[in-house]
Amino acid sequence: MKQYAYYPGCSLESLAKSYHLSSIEAARELGLELKEIEDWNCCGATAYFHVDELLAYTLVARNLALAEKENLDFVAPCSGCYKNAYFTNDYLQQDPGLAEHINFALEEDNLHISGPINVRHLIEVFVEDVGFEEIKKHVSRPLKDLRVAPYYGCQLLRPKKDSEDVENPQFFEDLLSAIGSDPVEYGSKTHCCGSSLIITNREAALDMVYKLLQDAANREADVIATICPLCNVNLELYQKQVNREFGTDFSMPVMYFTQLLGLALGVEPGRLGIGKDFVSTDSMQFIMQNPQSS
Amino acid sequence: MAAKLTFSKEIANLLYAMHGNPIKDCIQCGTCSGTCPAVEFMDHSPRELIAMIGANLKDEVLHSNTYWSCASCYYCNVRCPAGIDIADLMYALKRYSMWKDQYKKDLIGPKFSESFVKMIMRTGRSFEPVLAPSYIFKYGTRGIIQEAQTASALVLKGRLPLLPKKIKRLENLKRMVRRIIPIGEPS
Ligand code: SF4
Ligand code: SF4
């Protein structure tokens, strides 16, 4: 079993419990072990960076150092945690002064970063390390006729790292095709869900969520698939509030990509956290009851 | 510190360590504002804010809600033809306004961020209910009731534990933090 240093992040212990459950299950089905980093701490989200940048890097660095000790790739299912880890790792490589300062602090926990560490988002592990062909081979319950709107959100794609396509990426669509579903093309797939503005400027965030839901609904999506707990929470938990504010009646299921992947791999819905949702996934029963082929 | 430091120079210094080009390279094309999903909710568009910094309008900038309405989506960054790291400029302005303790008092963002930091120093992890007092009272009665209903439904669905988790080596983490900022207690 290939192992990864898995960094669940704080949301996966609470609001995004089903992302945690489904990540572990889907990975296991594909022969990967997500080995949780021992005694990890919060990465600082966005809020910590509002207050002190250097301290925020220090928080992230402790988790990176814990992964380095295991000599495994650092994997985060949350796009926000991923972005913090990716860039902190990058800055530590580029700036020996910063690295020295942070390593001095890390000594207090008997840790050290030499780097570089491979920082990955969970979806990259499935797309790049497992690959579409291998995934296809393991699909026992293809999600036939399910129209899925892939929602990339922001922090996995941006800031730009290299020459990758940040305006119109396709890997999520390809993953959805590999599990037998129909990926829906819609313009908002890389737009912003509002992230923590849902707390600090709710009006603005609800406006963004509304536009996203409307776009996916216009394209007759059955479900929106997410790769980040923040996106999922904004689109799902606050859907009712959008309906109230905008006079709409959306009942758009929002699921983590690992839940859809897990379903396609034949995992029982309950083990993927399906049923913990606020927007009912009953409209998708036709998929869950599909007999498993092969 | 030099006495005659203009505001725009101060901000330029804040950005010194960052990636991207200096804000004086801005050509005022407005691509950032056209791209920004939050622009309608901002006192000044990102383009205007950058022009204001250039013109040393310190008080106006400090009392603008613009950077506190930024969702850090980095869309402006990837499209700016001048290669300016606008999103990190917004981050820097948040920090600057908190250091100076000068921001619009009705904003939720600064208080929320402050309680967030305190919470991490107490437990090492983030836990939503601990943060609620920093913003909930701004929501009015209807809002508070809605939040409470959502919270209890989350508990029932097993999506909200009742107690925060603490990391085991919290004391080490606190000592790490003290090595970064040697003065003051991160309590
Ligand atoms: S997109 Fe860049 S160059 Fe154009 S106004 Fe915005 S910051 Fe200035
Ligand atoms: S990063 Fe902030 S300023 Fe830039 S487009 Fe996104 S919300 Fe607007």
Side-chain angles (χ1 to χ4, degrees), chain A residues 25-63:
Chain A
E25 292 284 342
R28 186 187 299 130
E29 291 295 320
L30 293 167
L32 312 176
E33 189 194 344
L34 301 179
K35 205 171 157 222
E36 186 164 331
I37 295 175
E38 182 256 328
D39 207 38
W40 55 269
N41 56 267
C42 173
C43 77
T46 49
Y48 217 112
F49 286 81
H50 298 166
V51 180
D52 192 307
E53 209 180 4
L54 193 56
L55 276 181
Y57 292 147
T58 311
L59 288 181
V60 179
R62 181 172 177 271
N63 298 320

Side-chain angles (χ1 to χ4, degrees), chain A residues 199-237:
Chain A
I199 304 287
T200 57
N201 190 339
R202 185 155 295 179
E203 199 193 355
L206 288 180
D207 185 67
M208 297 182 210
V209 174
Y210 161 71
K211 286 177 180 148
L212 269 158
L213 291 169
Q214 190 62 63
D215 195 11
N218 288 347
R219 301 301 160 114
E220 293 173 347
D222 295 317
V223 55
I224 296 177
T226 60
I227 59 167
C228 172
L230 262 97
C231 302
N232 195 288
V233 163
N234 283 12
L235 290 170
E236 198 236 352
L237 208 53

Side-chain angles (χ1 to χ4, degrees), chain B residues 25-33 47 50 79-82 84 86:
Chain B
D25 287 3
C26 170
I27 53 168
Q28 288 289 302
C29 67
T31 306
C32 49
S33 310
R47 181 194 63 76
I50 289 170
R79 289 194 174 162
C80 171
I84 294 167
I86 307 155

Side-chain angles (χ1 to χ4, degrees), chain B residues 32 35-38 42 46 69-77 86-87 90:
Chain B
C32 49
T35 300
C36 179
M42 292 172 167
S69 306
C70 166
S72 312
C73 75
Y74 292 91
Y75 233 123
C76 48
N77 277 40
I86 307 155
M90 300 293 178

Side-chain angles (χ1 to χ4, degrees), chain A residues 4 120-132 135 171:
Chain A
Y4 295 86
R120 326 275 308 275
H121 187 286
L122 182 63
I123 194 169
E124 294 178 326
V125 169
F126 288 112
V127 167
E128 293 163 6
D129 297 8
V130 183
F132 304 124
I135 291 174
F171 60 87

Side-chain angles (χ1 to χ4, degrees), chain A residues 119-217:
Chain A
V119 174
R120 326 275 308 275
H121 187 286
L122 182 63
I123 194 169
E124 294 178 326
V125 169
F126 288 112
V127 167
E128 293 163 6
D129 297 8
V130 183
F132 304 124
E133 287 315 309
E134 190 61 22
I135 291 174
K136 269 186 210 160
K137 278 190 220 153
H138 286 81
V139 168
S140 60
R141 188 198 277 137
L143 308 186
K144 227 170 133 320
D145 300 325
L146 188 70
R147 292 179 56 77
V148 187
Y151 180 50
Y152 290 85
C154 305
Q155 318 281 311
L156 171 60
L157 303 176
R158 299 184 296 268
K160 198 174 161 81
K161 301 171 191 79
D162 233 315
S163 54
E164 74 279 15
D165 186 351
V166 290
E167 294 283 349
N168 189 18
Q170 284 298 318
F171 60 87
F172 201 171
E173 280 86 341
D174 295 342
L175 177 65
L176 293 171
S177 302
I179 59 174
S181 66
D182 287 340
V184 173
E185 279 295 333
Y186 69 123
S188 307
K189 69 180 183 182
T190 60
H191 289 184
C192 177
C193 72
S195 70
S196 62
L197 293 183
I198 202 75
I199 304 287
T200 57
N201 190 339
R202 185 155 295 179
E203 199 193 355
L206 288 180
D207 185 67
M208 297 182 210
V209 174
Y210 161 71
K211 286 177 180 148
L212 269 158
L213 291 169
Q214 190 62 63
D215 195 11

Side-chain angles (χ1 to χ4, degrees), chain B residues 87-134:
Chain B
D88 277 346
L89 167 67
M90 300 293 178
Y91 267 118
L93 288 167
K94 283 173 181 159
R95 290 193 288 270
Y96 185 86
S97 75
M98 285 185 73
W99 289 337
K100 300 275 165 183
D101 196 26
Q102 281 191 49
Y103 43 81
K104 268 193 174 169
K105 291 304 163 202
D106 61 336
L107 290 170
I108 295 176
K111 286 191 190 60
F112 178 76
S113 298
E114 217 174 71
S115 5
F116 192 91
V117 165
K118 285 193 182 140
M119 173 183 66
I120 304 302
M121 287 306 117
R122 273 200 303 269
T123 60
R125 297 261 171 102
S126 140
F127 182 61
E128 293 82 2
V130 175
L131 294 168
S134 68

